[in-house]
Every structure is written in structure tokens, then in C-alpha cells.
Amino acid sequence: MVDKKKLVDLYTRTLKVRLFESKVWDIFGQNLIPGTLHLYLGQEAVAAGVTAALEKTDWIQSTHRGHGHVVAKGADMKHAFAELLGKATGSCKGKGGSMHITQFDAGVLGATGVVASGLPIAVGAALSCKMRGTKDVVACFFGDGASNNGTFGESLNMSAIWNLPVIWVVENNFYAMGTPIKWTCPSQSIAQRAEGYCIPNKVVNGNNTLEVYEAVVEAVERARAGEGPTLIECQTYRMKGHSRFDPAKYRPKEEAEFWLSQDPVEIIRKIAIEQGALTEKEADKIKKKLEKEVNAAAEFAIKSDYPKPEEALEDVFAEEVA
Amino acid sequence: MTEMTYREALKQGLREEMQRDERVFILGEDVGKNWGGAFKVTKGLAEEFGDERVRDTPISENTIVGAAVGAAITGLRPVAEIMFGDLITLAMDQVCNQAAKMRYMFGGQTSVPLVVRTVFGGGKNIASHHSQSLEAWFMHTPGLKIALPAFASDVKGLIKTAIRDPNPVMFFEHKLVYDKKEEVPDEEYTIPFGEAKIRREGADVTVWGTMFMLHKALEVADELAKEGISVEVIDPRTLVPLDKKTLLDSVKKTGRLVLVTEETKTGATTAEIAAMVQEEAFDWLDAPIVRVNAPDTPVPFSPPLEKFFIPDHKRIADAIRSAL
């Protein structure tokens, strides 16, 4: 049974990601963000549910659709916004941008623009947790599309033979860019693929933060107890298209209507209120507070300076030789 | 000093680093006690340090390197072995997109202290998938350091430096040098990256070469000395960082340069070195720079074909004479 404090946390995390991403969409519309971005809107319950089950010292490995993961894990929103804007105050000093948004001291190992390349890194991080004798775990996010890459098989296999503390978190939003899962996965289920690697697995409603959280808590317990990896398939849906110029017209109307009616923020808010963790008024108060934080963070980023051009030459190599 | 093979010196360097620093571990295909590495470099280390620190992996090159990246950024010092250099093609994403770029892309938040060891080169009649020399690909990727020791005394000091370096180091060996013997200092020592070694002093022409070709170039230099031709031979030891000064000083002294590697010619590291020298020492050159490389074909199998492919003593000697 989840206590009330945790329910408030789940609601707050989910909402925080929503407000961050809504603001990103807003300033993107003002043409303040260079390049492209892959919004996390609609998938908030996954990042919130997973990170709520982790400690600060645990790691996450993120994807090209990473804003939600890092914000939920506790990255500083000022530096996150600034990174999206390519500012010197960005968490990656403006060298990474949207697809590489990362904050190490918040437990984010990296966000990668190469689909499925985060899985091997999570294997190594989990191996390191085990070899160094910590109780830390690694949650590795990836999409349904990534499960068709070779590293999926390689990494699940290695995590299983070495009994590593990894939680494989599949965000199945049913589309790899515009390609529906029914064209790419014979079983339609990513969880089923874990069977071949003898990895315990579960399918959850990825729009329900509480359901995600409960599944991950169980997986984290197994991992910390030295019982190895778990794969959790979170079925969810993008509110927007894949990236900047994608209106997602390829999605069947009925399917989109159903999923867009399943708003992760509304779902967790309803649960928290029904279970007596929050009143409507308290929920609104949290929202107001978060809105203020998000707006201030965005303002900080917008007012920040760009890096000096010659800073492009820095950070290729680390200098210190141990 | 003890005379030992390149293989033994390399193993000694690995062993000393594993003794010195418990964060150091080895992973790769068949590196453990059943085999000890395809070229026996790690033989005996699993018995000494255990299966956890000398870790056999499945045949999953991309994840071997990726796991090394993940371990490196979370506090360990992995040494990943890729059984043959050709197979590193399977791990190019983790080498070039992840290990090489991570520090930069994340604005210096992390460094990636890992070593990827692999073996290049032909001469064993094992055809196109086990014989290539691909060092230029990595020299072209910002963020990677590259060591390619050709001598036993260097390989021990350079592997130790590679393991202690906070950056990803590509450590390239050559199949035909593992059995070459040399006097190796018994004491603990490291060799800094970016310091070339003048393997032979000479006055008439500079020869710059790597890996097994360096051994051939030295033999050719001995032969040519009998004809009164004085050849200076330079071993870069690391391509990144590159010791430009030693090479440029030599070229300024001799006025002539011959570059010898086993790579196929187009886009080889010799192209980069030639361009660098003409940019920075053109006025000192008395003759065009001559390059000796393999032809632009995959590495062939049949002995006469492979023999034709790999630069031999005659081609190197002819190139040196043509530069005079």
C-alpha cells in the first residue's frame, strides 16, 4: 500500500514534468530553442513513476526523448531549460542540447541521440554498482523502437547472465517515429521478448504513475537484493508527434482519442485525491508553486548568455591523469 | 632489465595496474581462464585476479564497449578487449558516438577512463575479416586517444599510461609483434602519451612508421646503411596525441620524409601526417613526401596475394631511395 506522502510525491513529479514540457513547447513556439526536440508530453507517468521508486544515488540512463526523465530524477530545471536553449548556463554548457540533456549529480548517466545505445551503458553502470559493492540500481529508459536494435538482445542477455541491478524500462508509445509497432514486432509485446533472456517482466499502464511506481518498486527490491534485472513495459502515448514538424497524422483517430483521454496528470491527481492524500485545493496549490518554479527556471534560461564561440574547443579531453 | 616478448610485457603492464588499482578490470570474449585471450595476452590473469575482474563476455562487441563506457563513468577503470580489430566495426557506436563524445557532449560533467585493446594487421593468412588496419578511422574521431606500441619496452609503459588516462584510449597491437623480444625494465614505469621515439638516428632521410611496418623499416634502414644511406626512423608510439615536434625536427634535419604503414592508402594516417608536414615544414623539404601503404583493396587471403598486399622490405627500400 502506498502511503499518502508518496502519493503526493507521485502527483508532484508527474505534474512537474508536464509543466516543464508544456513550458518547453511554449518557448519552442517562440522560436527560442534551436534545432529540434522530442517532447515527453503524455508520457509523464513513466518518468515520474520510475524515478519515485529510486534513491538519489541510483542512476538513470535516458534517451533522445529525455527531458521528462532528467526533470523527474531531480535535475535542476534552470540548467535543463538553459541547455535546451544552448546557453552557457546549460547543464552541458550548451554542447548537448535537447537530445543530450544530462545532469550527472542528479544521477543521470546521459541522454543519447542514438536509439538503443543507452542499454549497453546501463549494463556497465549496473556492473559497476555490483563490483563496487554499492546497493545502487540503474533504470534504463528506452522505447519500443529501440527493442528492435541489436543492443537490446546483447544488453538484456548480459544483464541476465551477470545478474545485474538494472531495471529495463520500455516506454512503448506504439510508434518508432511514424512506424507503428504492429509493423515491427510480431508479438506486439516487448515484455514477451524478455522471456528469452529469463528476465522477469511485466506490462503496466504507462499513463498511471502509481501503477508504474509499484512495478518499479518491486523491480528495485529484486535488484538491490542481488536478484538481477527486471523488464517493465509501460504502455503510453505521445501527446504530440515525434519531433518538431510531426503532426502525427498517421495515428488512427480512435486510437489517438482514447489515449489522449487518458491524461497521466489527471489520473494520478484523481488517485491522490480519492485516497485522501490531497484535497483539490492542495493539489492546485502544488500546481501554482510548480508553475512559479518552472516559469522562473525558463526565465533564467532565456536571460542567460550564449557560450563564447571559442568554448567550442573545450571539454574534448579530460586533463587530469590519475 | 629482462628480455621478454611484447605479449609478456603487455601482460606485465596489465597485471601491475590490476595490482595497483582495484578499479581496473578486463572484459572481452574469451579473455578468461578457458583461453586467456585469442592471442594469450591475458593468460593467467583470471587465475590471479578472479573471474569478476577478468570477465568473459558473450559475443556482443557493441555491448562490451558500451558496458566499459558505463563502468568507466561510474567509477571503474575497464580494459575492454575486442578480439580482432576488424570486429570493432560492431562497436563503432559505443566507441565513436558514446565514449569519444560523452565528455564533450555533456559539457565536461564526466570523463570516460576506459581502454579498448584490439589487434590489427595481416600476415597470418586469415583474410579480410581478421587482418585490417583501421587506425585512421579513430584518429579521425575527436575525443579518442590512440596508442600503437610496436616494442615490448613501450607496450608495458604505454598500457599503464592508457589505464591511468582519464580519457578513452584505443590501444592497438599488431599480430606479428606479440612474439618479438626486447629488454624491458623490471621496475615500475609509465611512458607519457605524445612522445615519439627516435628508433634510429640518421641524416639523409626520415622514415615515420607504425606497428609491424616500423620493424620492417628498421631492418631496411640497416640494409641501406651498408650502401651509405643514413636513415632516421621515428616511432610515434601514440597517434593522438601526436608528437609533431620530433617528426618536424627530424624532417628539418634530413629534408626528406617517407611514411610507412600497413593501412590501405586512401585516407590512411599517412595522408594526415603528410599533410601536417607540408603545412608546417614545407620550406625544409628537399623532395616530395613518399607514402608506402597497402593498395586500396580488402586484405586478400591466398599467401601470394597477401604478400603482395602488405608493404615489404623492397617497397620500403625503393621508396626511401626514391626520396633521395
Side-chain angles (χ1 to χ4, degrees):
Chain A
M1 193 61 197
V2 175
D3 66 29
K4 290 179 179 175
K5 202 174 149 201
K6 189 46 88 174
L7 283 169
V8 175
D9 176 27
L10 294 176
Y11 166 71
T12 308
R13 257 177 226 263
T14 312
L15 182 60
K16 189 177 181 185
V17 175
R18 165 64 54 83
L19 294 174
F20 181 88
E21 283 295 78
S22 301
K23 190 72 185 176
V24 170
W25 182 238
D26 175 36
I27 56 181
F28 188 64
Q30 298 169 43
N31 251 340
L32 293 172
I33 295 179
T36 191
L37 42 77
H38 308 89
L39 283 177
Y40 199 69
L41 284 172
Q43 304 186 190
E44 297 88 347
V46 183
V50 171
T51 57
L54 302 176
E55 300 294 333
K56 195 173 185 306
T57 54
D58 291 326
W59 296 100
I60 63 163
Q61 172 67 43
S62 181
T63 67
H64 66 287
R65 195 180 299 285
H67 314 166
H69 307 143
V70 301
V71 168
K73 186 67 171 70
D76 185 307
M77 287 195 290
K78 294 195 296 293
H79 303 308
F81 268 123
E83 190 54 37
L84 297 178
L85 270 66
K87 299 298 182 73
T89 51
S91 56
C92 306
K93 300 185 203 164
K95 292 202 173 99
S98 167
M99 280 189 279
H100 308 296
I101 189 166
T102 296
Q103 195 186 318
F104 262 73
D105 59 15
V108 184
L109 285 170
T112 170
V114 182
V115 169
S117 72
L119 284 85
I121 296 168
V123 166
L127 176 63
S128 160
C129 293
K130 191 176 171 180
M131 287 180 71
R132 288 180 296 116
T134 73
K135 284 282 173 196
D136 298 337
V137 304
V138 181
C140 179
F141 294 95
F142 57 97
D144 45 290
S147 75
N148 290 317
N149 191 285
T151 60
F152 173 82
E154 290 187 7
S155 296
L156 260 66
N157 185 50
M158 246 185 243
S159 72
I161 56 166
W162 292 342
N163 226 27
L164 299 179
V166 193
I167 296 109
W168 300 114
V169 181
V170 188
E171 300 191 83
N172 180 2
N173 63 19
F174 303 101
Y175 290 88
M177 273 183 63
T179 304
I181 189 168
K182 63 184 170 202
W183 295 357
T184 60
C185 178
S187 67
Q188 311 289 297
S189 159
I190 312 302
Q192 200 179 323
R193 293 181 167 185
E195 297 286 341
Y197 301 99
C198 304
I199 294 179
N201 56 85
K202 195 169 190 176
V203 181
V204 300
N205 176 358
N207 279 22
N208 183 327
T209 314
L210 179 59
E211 209 177 308
V212 174
Y213 169 75
E214 286 178 328
V216 177
V217 164
E218 215 176 292
V220 168
E221 275 170 13
R222 290 192 65 246
R224 287 203 215 284
E227 290 167 25
T230 306
L231 182 142
I232 299 167
E233 176 182 343
C234 306
Q235 297 189 338
T236 183
Y237 211 68
R238 301 185 308 238
M239 282 171 71
K240 304 280 180 190
H242 168 72
S243 62
R244 186 170 192 161
F245 298 111
D246 174 20
K249 284 187 177 156
Y250 42 81
R251 303 197 296 203
K253 195 164 169 274
E254 275 182 18
E255 174 194 284
E257 273 174 3
F258 167 76
W259 275 101
L260 296 176
S261 73
Q262 306 292 305
D263 184 326
V265 175
E266 292 308 316
I267 290 173
I268 191 62
R269 181 181 164 119
K270 191 161 173 272
I271 293 170
I273 289 170
E274 275 175 6
Q275 297 197 14
L278 281 171
T279 62
E280 292 278 358
K281 212 173 156 188
E282 283 164 344
D284 288 341
K285 205 172 149 192
I286 289 172
K287 188 176 178 193
K288 280 215 173 71
K289 184 172 168 280
L290 283 173
E291 275 171 348
K292 227 169 137 184
E293 265 179 54
V294 166
N295 288 338
E299 202 175 320
F300 166 87
I302 291 165
K303 281 185 179 161
S304 287
D305 292 328
Y306 283 109
K308 293 187 187 74
E310 58 274 20
E311 284 171 32
L313 299 175
E314 295 170 5
D315 296 319
V316 178
F317 289 111
E319 293 304 321
E320 183 205 337
V321 174
Chain B
M1 299 278 266
T2 308
E3 193 183 55
M4 65 175 77
T5 63
Y6 181 99
R7 175 188 291 107
E8 286 162 345
L10 175 54
K11 188 191 302 182
Q12 201 173 87
L14 287 165
R15 179 190 287 121
E16 285 179 14
E17 287 308 291
M18 291 185 80
Q19 284 167 343
R20 186 188 67 88
D21 184 348
E22 62 176 19
R23 298 173 302 172
V24 178
F25 75 105
I26 293 169
L27 72 165
E29 295 159 8
D30 265 313
V31 296
K33 61 185 166 216
N34 279 3
W35 206 288
F39 292 90
K40 307 289 182 195
V41 170
T42 54
K43 194 167 173 56
L45 295 180
E47 286 83 348
E48 189 175 345
F49 295 100
D51 300 338
E52 288 283 298
R53 288 182 73 196
V54 184
R55 184 172 285 267
D56 282 315
T57 64
I59 299 179
S60 307
E61 283 78 7
N62 208 8
T63 297
I64 292 169
V65 178
V69 171
I73 61 177
T74 54
L76 295 180
R77 295 278 173 152
V79 179
E81 177 178 311
I82 297 295
M83 195 183 278
F84 283 86
D86 316 71
L87 311 177
I88 212 164
T89 50
L90 294 155
M92 287 304 265
D93 172 50
Q94 290 298 330
V95 172
C96 297
N97 280 321
Q98 310 302 332
K101 289 175 186 157
M102 249 187 188
R103 178 174 178 78
Y104 187 84
M105 210 161 62
F106 301 150
Q109 287 183 83
T110 187
S111 56
V112 190
L114 71 83
V115 180
V116 178
R117 283 184 45 238
T118 197
V119 57
F120 282 145
K124 290 250 184 198
N125 304 121
I126 44 178
S128 287
H129 289 173
H130 290 76
S131 303
Q132 295 168 87
S133 297
L134 303 173
E135 53 269 31
W137 292 358
F138 304 96
M139 195 181 186
H140 190 60
T141 302
L144 300 175
K145 292 190 177 180
I146 300 174
L148 58 184
F151 287 84
S153 60
D154 283 346
V155 76
K156 182 178 162 189
L158 286 169
I159 191 69
K160 291 162 78 75
T161 304
I163 290 170
R164 296 181 199 188
D165 196 286
N167 298 288
V169 179
M170 306 304 290
F171 200 87
F172 298 143
E173 300 150 23
H174 191 289
K175 298 173 185 70
L176 300 189
V177 305
Y178 285 126
D179 291 321
K180 289 204 170 284
K181 286 188 174 174
E182 204 195 1
E183 292 283 318
V184 176
D186 298 316
E187 70 274 11
E188 146 91 21
Y189 67 97
T190 58
I191 295 172
F193 282 1
E195 286 187 13
K197 187 164 182 174
I198 299 172
R199 289 260 159 214
R200 188 185 209 285
E201 300 224 7
D204 298 334
V205 55
T206 301
V207 173
W208 181 98
T210 58
M211 306 183 96
F212 192 57
M213 289 300 114
L214 191 60
H215 291 272
K216 284 192 182 174
L218 285 164
E219 286 157 15
V220 169
D222 286 344
E223 289 162 19
L224 293 178
K226 293 173 199 155
E227 298 172 20
I229 300 170
S230 172
V231 181
E232 179 146 299
V233 180
I234 295 182
D235 172 1
R237 303 198 287 192
T238 59
L239 288 174
V240 182
L242 181 71
D243 180 354
K244 292 183 181 181
K245 188 174 180 301
T246 299
L247 175 58
L248 291 171
D249 286 350
S250 177
V251 169
K252 287 174 185 175
K253 182 174 80 175
T254 64
R256 295 162 203 280
L257 177 61
V258 176
L259 304 164
V260 192
T261 73
E262 202 180 308
E263 306 158 280
T264 54
K265 191 167 191 174
T266 303
T269 60
T270 51
E272 174 60 32
I273 302 301
M276 185 275 287
V277 170
Q278 75 86 24
E279 276 172 355
E280 301 194 24
F282 184 77
D283 291 346
W284 284 269
L285 286 171
D286 296 324
I289 298 169
V290 183
R291 298 167 61 199
V292 183
N293 295 102
D296 287 328
T297 68
V299 186
F301 161 65
S302 173
L305 301 180
E306 190 185 44
K307 195 162 178 291
F308 176 85
F309 174 89
I310 300 170
D312 60 8
H313 290 72
K314 183 175 181 305
R315 281 181 59 201
I316 298 168
D318 289 350
I320 292 171
R321 286 198 190 93
S322 78
L324 291 169

PDB file of all heavy atoms in Angstrom, chain B residues 190-207:
ATOM      1  N   THR B 190      56.006   4.330 -16.503  1.00  0.00           N
ATOM      2  CA  THR B 190      54.978   4.665 -17.488  1.00  0.00           C
ATOM      3  C   THR B 190      55.657   5.454 -18.606  1.00  0.00           C
ATOM      4  O   THR B 190      56.737   6.014 -18.410  1.00  0.00           O
ATOM      5  CB  THR B 190      53.851   5.528 -16.887  1.00  0.00           C
ATOM      6  OG1 THR B 190      54.428   6.723 -16.347  1.00  0.00           O
ATOM      7  CG2 THR B 190      53.104   4.806 -15.789  1.00  0.00           C
ATOM      8  N   ILE B 191      55.022   5.482 -19.763  1.00  0.00           N
ATOM      9  CA  ILE B 191      55.550   6.270 -20.883  1.00  0.00           C
ATOM     10  C   ILE B 191      54.487   7.302 -21.251  1.00  0.00           C
ATOM     11  O   ILE B 191      53.350   6.934 -21.547  1.00  0.00           O
ATOM     12  CB  ILE B 191      55.860   5.361 -22.088  1.00  0.00           C
ATOM     13  CG1 ILE B 191      57.002   4.389 -21.722  1.00  0.00           C
ATOM     14  CG2 ILE B 191      56.220   6.196 -23.317  1.00  0.00           C
ATOM     15  CD1 ILE B 191      57.267   3.328 -22.760  1.00  0.00           C
ATOM     16  N   PRO B 192      54.840   8.574 -21.190  1.00  0.00           N
ATOM     17  CA  PRO B 192      53.835   9.600 -21.482  1.00  0.00           C
ATOM     18  C   PRO B 192      53.314   9.489 -22.914  1.00  0.00           C
ATOM     19  O   PRO B 192      54.067   9.109 -23.808  1.00  0.00           O
ATOM     20  CB  PRO B 192      54.591  10.923 -21.296  1.00  0.00           C
ATOM     21  CG  PRO B 192      55.919  10.580 -20.754  1.00  0.00           C
ATOM     22  CD  PRO B 192      56.170   9.133 -20.965  1.00  0.00           C
ATOM     23  N   PHE B 193      52.051   9.816 -23.082  1.00  0.00           N
ATOM     24  CA  PHE B 193      51.491   9.889 -24.432  1.00  0.00           C
ATOM     25  C   PHE B 193      52.027  11.143 -25.130  1.00  0.00           C
ATOM     26  O   PHE B 193      52.302  12.151 -24.480  1.00  0.00           O
ATOM     27  CB  PHE B 193      49.966   9.969 -24.370  1.00  0.00           C
ATOM     28  CG  PHE B 193      49.288   8.640 -24.103  1.00  0.00           C
ATOM     29  CD1 PHE B 193      50.027   7.484 -23.926  1.00  0.00           C
ATOM     30  CD2 PHE B 193      47.897   8.563 -24.046  1.00  0.00           C
ATOM     31  CE1 PHE B 193      49.398   6.262 -23.698  1.00  0.00           C
ATOM     32  CE2 PHE B 193      47.266   7.355 -23.817  1.00  0.00           C
ATOM     33  CZ  PHE B 193      48.011   6.199 -23.638  1.00  0.00           C
ATOM     34  N   GLY B 194      52.130  11.059 -26.448  1.00  0.00           N
ATOM     35  CA  GLY B 194      52.540  12.237 -27.220  1.00  0.00           C
ATOM     36  C   GLY B 194      54.036  12.438 -27.280  1.00  0.00           C
ATOM     37  O   GLY B 194      54.495  13.521 -27.617  1.00  0.00           O
ATOM     38  N   GLU B 195      54.799  11.397 -26.938  1.00  0.00           N
ATOM     39  CA  GLU B 195      56.257  11.498 -27.065  1.00  0.00           C
ATOM     40  C   GLU B 195      56.759  10.399 -27.994  1.00  0.00           C
ATOM     41  O   GLU B 195      56.818   9.230 -27.635  1.00  0.00           O
ATOM     42  CB  GLU B 195      56.932  11.364 -25.691  1.00  0.00           C
ATOM     43  CG  GLU B 195      56.759  12.603 -24.846  1.00  0.00           C
ATOM     44  CD  GLU B 195      57.580  12.545 -23.553  1.00  0.00           C
ATOM     45  OE1 GLU B 195      58.461  11.670 -23.415  1.00  0.00           O
ATOM     46  OE2 GLU B 195      57.299  13.400 -22.686  1.00  0.00           O
ATOM     47  N   ALA B 196      57.108  10.808 -29.207  1.00  0.00           N
ATOM     48  CA  ALA B 196      57.634   9.852 -30.175  1.00  0.00           C
ATOM     49  C   ALA B 196      59.032   9.423 -29.754  1.00  0.00           C
ATOM     50  O   ALA B 196      59.668  10.061 -28.912  1.00  0.00           O
ATOM     51  CB  ALA B 196      57.669  10.479 -31.560  1.00  0.00           C
ATOM     52  N   LYS B 197      59.475   8.317 -30.327  1.00  0.00           N
ATOM     53  CA  LYS B 197      60.818   7.850 -30.019  1.00  0.00           C
ATOM     54  C   LYS B 197      61.605   7.744 -31.319  1.00  0.00           C
ATOM     55  O   LYS B 197      61.116   7.160 -32.298  1.00  0.00           O
ATOM     56  CB  LYS B 197      60.724   6.469 -29.352  1.00  0.00           C
ATOM     57  CG  LYS B 197      62.052   5.957 -28.843  1.00  0.00           C
ATOM     58  CD  LYS B 197      61.808   4.812 -27.867  1.00  0.00           C
ATOM     59  CE  LYS B 197      63.119   4.310 -27.285  1.00  0.00           C
ATOM     60  NZ  LYS B 197      62.897   3.313 -26.254  1.00  0.00           N
ATOM     61  N   ILE B 198      62.804   8.315 -31.312  1.00  0.00           N
ATOM     62  CA  ILE B 198      63.662   8.136 -32.481  1.00  0.00           C
ATOM     63  C   ILE B 198      64.312   6.762 -32.325  1.00  0.00           C
ATOM     64  O   ILE B 198      65.142   6.558 -31.443  1.00  0.00           O
ATOM     65  CB  ILE B 198      64.716   9.261 -32.580  1.00  0.00           C
ATOM     66  CG1 ILE B 198      63.991  10.601 -32.727  1.00  0.00           C
ATOM     67  CG2 ILE B 198      65.663   9.008 -33.758  1.00  0.00           C
ATOM     68  CD1 ILE B 198      64.891  11.808 -32.635  1.00  0.00           C
ATOM     69  N   ARG B 199      63.886   5.838 -33.138  1.00  0.00           N
ATOM     70  CA  ARG B 199      64.352   4.453 -33.005  1.00  0.00           C
ATOM     71  C   ARG B 199      65.731   4.272 -33.626  1.00  0.00           C
ATOM     72  O   ARG B 199      66.448   3.333 -33.304  1.00  0.00           O
ATOM     73  CB  ARG B 199      63.371   3.507 -33.690  1.00  0.00           C
ATOM     74  CG  ARG B 199      62.054   3.374 -32.954  1.00  0.00           C
ATOM     75  CD  ARG B 199      62.043   2.082 -32.140  1.00  0.00           C
ATOM     76  NE  ARG B 199      61.048   2.163 -31.070  1.00  0.00           N
ATOM     77  CZ  ARG B 199      61.202   1.585 -29.890  1.00  0.00           C
ATOM     78  NH1 ARG B 199      62.310   0.934 -29.612  1.00  0.00           N
ATOM     79  NH2 ARG B 199      60.261   1.673 -28.984  1.00  0.00           N
ATOM     80  N   ARG B 200      66.057   5.150 -34.545  1.00  0.00           N
ATOM     81  CA  ARG B 200      67.361   5.042 -35.199  1.00  0.00           C
ATOM     82  C   ARG B 200      67.705   6.442 -35.688  1.00  0.00           C
ATOM     83  O   ARG B 200      66.878   7.085 -36.327  1.00  0.00           O
ATOM     84  CB  ARG B 200      67.215   4.100 -36.389  1.00  0.00           C
ATOM     85  CG  ARG B 200      68.511   3.728 -37.059  1.00  0.00           C
ATOM     86  CD  ARG B 200      68.201   2.902 -38.297  1.00  0.00           C
ATOM     87  NE  ARG B 200      69.256   1.960 -38.638  1.00  0.00           N
ATOM     88  CZ  ARG B 200      70.414   2.310 -39.189  1.00  0.00           C
ATOM     89  NH1 ARG B 200      70.687   3.579 -39.469  1.00  0.00           N
ATOM     90  NH2 ARG B 200      71.322   1.389 -39.468  1.00  0.00           N
ATOM     91  N   GLU B 201      68.882   6.890 -35.377  1.00  0.00           N
ATOM     92  CA  GLU B 201      69.271   8.237 -35.826  1.00  0.00           C
ATOM     93  C   GLU B 201      69.866   8.161 -37.224  1.00  0.00           C
ATOM     94  O   GLU B 201      70.519   7.183 -37.577  1.00  0.00           O
ATOM     95  CB  GLU B 201      70.303   8.823 -34.853  1.00  0.00           C
ATOM     96  CG  GLU B 201      69.727   8.930 -33.452  1.00  0.00           C
ATOM     97  CD  GLU B 201      70.034  10.246 -32.764  1.00  0.00           C
ATOM     98  OE1 GLU B 201      70.586  11.146 -33.413  1.00  0.00           O
ATOM     99  OE2 GLU B 201      69.702  10.356 -31.577  1.00  0.00           O
ATOM    100  N   GLY B 202      69.608   9.207 -38.017  1.00  0.00           N
ATOM    101  CA  GLY B 202      70.132   9.225 -39.372  1.00  0.00           C
ATOM    102  C   GLY B 202      70.141  10.638 -39.913  1.00  0.00           C
ATOM    103  O   GLY B 202      69.554  11.543 -39.316  1.00  0.00           O
ATOM    104  N   ALA B 203      70.787  10.839 -41.054  1.00  0.00           N
ATOM    105  CA  ALA B 203      70.978  12.197 -41.551  1.00  0.00           C
ATOM    106  C   ALA B 203      70.343  12.449 -42.910  1.00  0.00           C
ATOM    107  O   ALA B 203      70.052  13.592 -43.266  1.00  0.00           O
ATOM    108  CB  ALA B 203      72.479  12.489 -41.641  1.00  0.00           C
ATOM    109  N   ASP B 204      70.095  11.377 -43.685  1.00  0.00           N
ATOM    110  CA  ASP B 204      69.694  11.589 -45.077  1.00  0.00           C
ATOM    111  C   ASP B 204      68.190  11.644 -45.305  1.00  0.00           C
ATOM    112  O   ASP B 204      67.710  12.348 -46.190  1.00  0.00           O
ATOM    113  CB  ASP B 204      70.272  10.458 -45.955  1.00  0.00           C
ATOM    114  CG  ASP B 204      71.783  10.446 -45.921  1.00  0.00           C
ATOM    115  OD1 ASP B 204      72.372  11.513 -45.664  1.00  0.00           O
ATOM    116  OD2 ASP B 204      72.369   9.363 -46.136  1.00  0.00           O
ATOM    117  N   VAL B 205      67.460  10.851 -44.550  1.00  0.00           N
ATOM    118  CA  VAL B 205      66.018  10.752 -44.793  1.00  0.00           C
ATOM    119  C   VAL B 205      65.325  10.306 -43.494  1.00  0.00           C
ATOM    120  O   VAL B 205      65.880   9.523 -42.724  1.00  0.00           O
ATOM    121  CB  VAL B 205      65.716   9.761 -45.956  1.00  0.00           C
ATOM    122  CG1 VAL B 205      66.340   8.388 -45.707  1.00  0.00           C
ATOM    123  CG2 VAL B 205      64.228   9.610 -46.221  1.00  0.00           C
ATOM    124  N   THR B 206      64.120  10.841 -43.289  1.00  0.00           N
ATOM    125  CA  THR B 206      63.325  10.438 -42.127  1.00  0.00           C
ATOM    126  C   THR B 206      62.287   9.410 -42.573  1.00  0.00           C
ATOM    127  O   THR B 206      61.599   9.618 -43.572  1.00  0.00           O
ATOM    128  CB  THR B 206      62.592  11.660 -41.530  1.00  0.00           C
ATOM    129  OG1 THR B 206      63.561  12.635 -41.148  1.00  0.00           O
ATOM    130  CG2 THR B 206      61.737  11.265 -40.342  1.00  0.00           C
ATOM    131  N   VAL B 207      62.183   8.334 -41.819  1.00  0.00           N
ATOM    132  CA  VAL B 207      61.101   7.370 -42.052  1.00  0.00           C
ATOM    133  C   VAL B 207      60.220   7.354 -40.809  1.00  0.00           C
ATOM    134  O   VAL B 207      60.710   7.178 -39.693  1.00  0.00           O
ATOM    135  CB  VAL B 207      61.644   5.950 -42.337  1.00  0.00           C
ATOM    136  CG1 VAL B 207      60.484   4.947 -42.408  1.00  0.00           C
ATOM    137  CG2 VAL B 207      62.416   5.938 -43.648  1.00  0.00           C
TER     138      VAL B 207
END
